[in-house]
Amino acid sequence: MAEPTCGSLLLQLQHIWDEVGESDEERDKALLQIEQECLNVYKRKVDQAAKSKEHLLQTLEDAKLEFSTLLGSLGEKSSINIPEKTSGTINEQLASIAPALEQLWKKKEERIKEFSDVQAQIKKISREIAGSNELAGSLTVDVSDLSLKKLEEFHNRLQELQKEKSQRLNKVHEFVSTLHDICGVLAIDFYSTVSDVHPSLVDASSAQSKSISNDTLARLAKSVIALEEAKKQRLHKLQDLAAQLIELWNLMDTSEEERSLFNHITCNISASVDEVTVPRALALNLIEQAKEEVERLDQLKASKMKEIALKKQEELEEIFAHAHIQNDTKTAREKILALIDSGNVEPAELIADMDAKVIKAKEEALSRKDILDKVEKWMSACEEESWLEDYNRDHNRYNGSRGAHLNLKRAERARVLVSKIPGIVDTLVAKTRTWESEHGMTFAYDGVPLLAMLDEYSSLRHDKEEEKRRIRDQKKEQEAMFGTKPSPARPLSSSKKTTGPNGAPNRRLSLNQNGARSGKRDNMRPVAPLNYVAISKEDAAAAVTP
């Protein structure tokens, strides 16, 4: 249904009046009243509109004034969207300036906060540098100048202070770190040391709370200098003691195990002050420990000289024994004891002389090592050859007894090894002659010339080969005469083994004047057996009674 209008309502009223029969006078009077009421309504609306316009005009003027004031305070126009509409209706002008004004209000609040923050930091750092403990007061921001230029001035000032603070903090950290390292090396209470400078330096968790004042820096520098001097003096003292310890150890031939107990002292004997960084390396108790050890070793030095010298002689004898070099140990020991008892030689000189002999003996032993290894290989091959002869003579070697298969395998290996003996001997002869040519002396094995031993071995081997040939010829003659397998020949007398005290083959071939075997130092000298040549399977079978 459509909304009623003034015209439709007036027609409706006239229709009602017609139906009622209202007079024209009454009708005019009612219409006049309606017209007056409408006029009053219009007047009220006009008054309200006028007041609203006046309020809007004042609001517009205030907005323009505030806009100008904010622009002047912030000092920037390029970043603000200045309204271009300066004409038109009042509402249009207000709508145009409102966003820019709101943007300026927000900008002002942000700028005030920025000024407040930077000024607060400047004030805080300034107090820290000055070493002031005053509480921070309220800050007042000058709102009349909130320009970026003014803010940049504050930021530049803050950066300068922050840079200075960073430099001071780094300096404090360097001093504190140096103190920590030196206190650790000297075994001094670090916390007590830095706390005496300033209590804030003890708290390592908060670097920003550390004191960075000029007074703190000066006191830190003074403490570092004092401790570095103490470190220098202690190191010098400990190095002197370490040098004395090493000298006494070398003199008395102290074992590495005993020396290792003082490695924490001697390890810094040639170190500079800056190189000593291990905690407690220069503790007072370590210096005292080194001092006591030096005093103890001084007292033991005189009483242990004979023991030390004889120990060096034992080392020398052991080198000679392993190298199979003959040496008169009894005379050497007697000479050493006589020198010590006479007091005509300094202990250090005696030990140095014996050390030189040990070095020379080691060099000679090293030059003999290659030949001695070949000799050992030769002796081992001769032992296998001796075993192989016994094995070939055993007519039960092929039966199913326990371990027979192991002996069979060993026999095969022994035959291979025995076949290499001539080559080993030839190599030994060549190497020995080269060694003798280079050193200008005879290569003796436990006092016996090695070439003589090898010559005798070669001669015996030749005799053995001749004996084997004779047995073969005898076998052929018997087969030709009887046509049957002859009775076994008597075992060769030359194949009889020479055994030592414990029943093992005597590995030493000693050539003395009457050809007899020398028993001197048999327990230390490997000896080549007499039965150097193995008899083959067929020859051995022919020599054994079936």
Side-chain angles (χ1 to χ4, degrees):
M1 186 176 178
E3 286 287 331
T5 63
C6 290
S8 65
L9 290 174
L10 183 58
L11 287 175
Q12 188 177 356
L13 182 60
Q14 286 178 352
H15 181 69
I16 294 173
W17 284 343
D18 289 341
E19 289 179 351
V20 173
E22 191 74 41
S23 63
D24 291 338
E25 184 180 356
E26 289 294 330
R27 289 184 183 191
D28 291 340
K29 185 178 179 181
L31 290 173
L32 183 62
Q33 184 180 359
I34 292 172
E35 186 178 353
Q36 186 63 41
E37 289 178 356
C38 288
L39 183 60
N40 291 336
V41 170
Y42 280 115
K43 285 182 179 180
R44 287 197 302 274
K45 292 297 182 182
V46 169
D47 290 341
Q48 290 176 2
K51 289 181 179 179
S52 177
K53 176 185 176 182
E54 183 179 356
H55 176 71
L56 288 174
L57 286 172
Q58 184 63 45
T59 302
L60 180 60
E61 289 299 323
D62 291 343
K64 289 181 177 180
L65 178 60
E66 186 172 1
F67 187 82
S68 300
T69 303
L70 289 173
L71 281 178
S73 175
L74 295 173
E76 54 183 55
K77 297 182 180 179
S78 59
S79 62
I80 303 299
N81 296 324
I82 301 174
E84 298 178 357
K85 194 171 184 63
T86 57
S87 60
T89 64
I90 299 173
N91 281 329
E92 288 176 349
Q93 294 184 48
L94 280 174
S96 175
I97 199 173
L101 190 59
E102 183 178 354
Q103 187 179 1
L104 286 175
W105 285 336
K106 185 177 180 181
K107 196 73 174 177
K108 179 182 178 181
E109 292 176 359
E110 293 175 353
R111 193 65 59 78
I112 289 175
K113 186 176 184 304
E114 290 179 8
F115 271 85
S116 179
D117 290 343
V118 72
Q119 286 179 250
Q121 293 182 62
I122 289 173
K123 190 172 183 179
K124 180 176 180 293
I125 296 176
S126 298
R127 288 199 314 271
E128 291 177 355
I129 293 175
S132 174
N133 295 323
E134 295 179 4
L135 296 176
S138 59
L139 291 172
T140 303
V141 178
D142 183 8
V143 295
S144 63
D145 188 0
L146 298 176
S147 63
L148 288 176
K149 181 179 180 182
K150 189 68 174 179
L151 182 61
E152 185 178 1
E153 291 178 2
F154 279 111
H155 274 299
N156 290 338
R157 174 59 179 159
L158 177 60
Q159 288 178 359
E160 291 176 1
L161 290 174
Q162 286 176 335
K163 183 178 180 181
E164 183 179 355
K165 178 180 178 179
S166 177
Q167 292 173 346
R168 287 172 175 258
L169 277 173
N170 288 337
K171 196 68 176 176
V172 168
H173 176 73
E174 290 176 5
F175 280 137
V176 172
S177 178
T178 302
L179 285 176
H180 180 271
D181 294 341
I182 299 177
C183 287
V185 172
L186 300 180
I188 297 175
D189 186 3
F190 165 71
Y191 293 103
S192 175
T193 302
V194 295
S195 180
D196 290 342
V197 175
H198 197 279
S200 66
L201 303 178
V202 177
D203 185 10
S205 62
S206 177
Q208 298 299 324
S209 65
K210 294 184 184 299
S211 174
I212 57 174
S213 65
N214 292 333
D215 180 64
T216 300
L217 290 173
R219 297 181 67 182
L220 281 172
K222 184 178 179 180
S223 297
V224 168
I225 293 173
L227 288 181
E228 284 181 341
E229 183 61 28
K231 179 182 178 182
K232 182 178 179 181
Q233 293 176 359
R234 289 195 190 183
L235 178 61
H236 181 69
K237 187 172 184 179
L238 194 66
Q239 287 176 337
D240 288 344
L241 292 170
Q244 295 178 51
L245 279 176
I246 293 175
E247 182 181 353
L248 290 168
W249 286 340
N250 292 337
L251 184 62
M252 293 188 285
D253 197 22
T254 304
S255 67
E256 287 298 328
E257 183 179 359
E258 292 181 31
R259 296 188 186 203
S260 65
L261 299 176
F262 294 89
N263 282 345
H264 55 292
I265 293 175
T266 57
C267 63
N268 294 319
I269 189 169
S270 59
S272 64
V273 175
D274 294 335
E275 291 173 342
V276 181
T277 58
V278 178
R280 303 188 63 83
L282 300 178
L284 288 175
N285 64 319
L286 293 186
I287 296 176
E288 187 62 27
Q289 180 186 4
K291 186 177 179 181
E292 292 175 356
E293 182 65 11
V294 168
E295 293 175 353
R296 186 183 71 84
L297 292 177
D298 272 332
Q299 295 174 358
L300 289 176
K301 180 173 66 174
S303 61
K304 291 196 68 174
M305 275 311 301
K306 288 185 179 180
E307 178 184 344
I308 297 168
L310 291 177
K311 191 173 182 181
K312 292 286 183 183
Q313 179 61 25
E314 287 177 3
E315 181 182 0
L316 190 62
E317 292 171 5
E318 185 177 354
I319 295 171
F320 286 149
H322 281 95
H324 296 276
I325 300 173
Q326 199 171 34
N327 182 48
D328 189 352
T329 59
K330 182 178 179 181
T331 303
R333 288 172 178 264
E334 290 175 351
K335 183 178 179 181
I336 290 172
L337 295 176
L339 280 174
I340 295 174
D341 292 336
S342 67
N344 295 330
V345 62
E346 287 292 329
E349 293 179 4
L350 176 61
I351 299 302
D353 180 63
M354 297 197 69
D355 285 337
K357 290 181 179 179
V358 169
I359 293 173
K360 184 178 179 181
K362 287 181 177 179
E363 292 174 352
E364 183 177 354
L366 184 62
S367 71
R368 294 166 60 92
K369 184 178 184 303
D370 189 28
I371 295 177
L372 291 176
D373 290 342
K374 295 291 183 183
V375 170
E376 183 64 27
K377 188 175 180 180
W378 171 50
M379 297 295 183
S380 298
C382 290
E383 284 186 354
E384 286 300 296
E385 185 181 32
S386 175
W387 177 87
L388 185 60
E389 288 185 358
D390 289 343
Y391 176 76
N392 287 335
R393 276 201 251 19
D394 184 5
H395 61 276
N396 294 323
R397 62 184 180 277
Y398 295 121
N399 62 15
S401 62
R402 184 177 181 182
H405 66 290
L406 297 177
N407 287 334
L408 185 61
K409 289 181 179 180
R410 180 180 175 183
E412 292 300 325
R413 290 195 299 269
R415 291 188 184 97
V416 173
L417 185 59
V418 168
S419 67
K420 297 179 181 179
I421 290 180
I424 296 174
V425 172
D426 291 342
T427 302
L428 260 177
V429 170
K431 286 183 175 291
T432 304
R433 286 174 178 168
T434 301
W435 188 94
E436 291 183 347
S437 175
E438 291 176 352
H439 293 79
M441 58 187 295
T442 301
F443 189 101
Y445 188 92
D446 289 338
V448 179
L450 180 58
L451 287 178
M453 292 174 62
L454 294 171
D455 288 342
E456 181 179 351
Y457 169 78
S458 298
S459 176
L460 289 173
R461 186 176 183 83
H462 177 73
D463 294 344
K464 181 64 67 176
E465 292 293 340
E466 291 296 327
E467 183 70 15
K468 286 171 61 178
R469 191 177 296 108
R470 187 188 66 78
I471 292 175
R472 288 196 209 100
D473 293 343
Q474 183 182 14
K475 176 183 176 182
K476 289 178 182 179
E477 291 175 1
Q478 290 177 349
E479 288 178 350
M481 291 174 62
F482 303 103
T484 58
K485 192 173 183 178
S487 59
R490 179 178 55 86
L492 299 176
S493 59
S494 60
S495 66
K496 189 175 181 179
K497 286 197 304 180
T498 303
T499 58
N502 56 357
N506 191 349
R507 300 182 67 202
R508 171 71 174 89
L509 180 60
S510 177
L511 304 178
N512 45 17
Q513 294 296 327
N514 55 9
R517 300 198 174 274
S518 172
K520 183 178 180 182
R521 294 179 64 185
D522 280 344
N523 60 332
M524 299 175 60
R525 304 174 181 177
V527 181
L530 286 177
N531 49 339
Y532 292 106
V533 184
I535 305 174
S536 65
K537 253 190 212 180
E538 295 78 5
D539 294 341
V544 178
T545 303

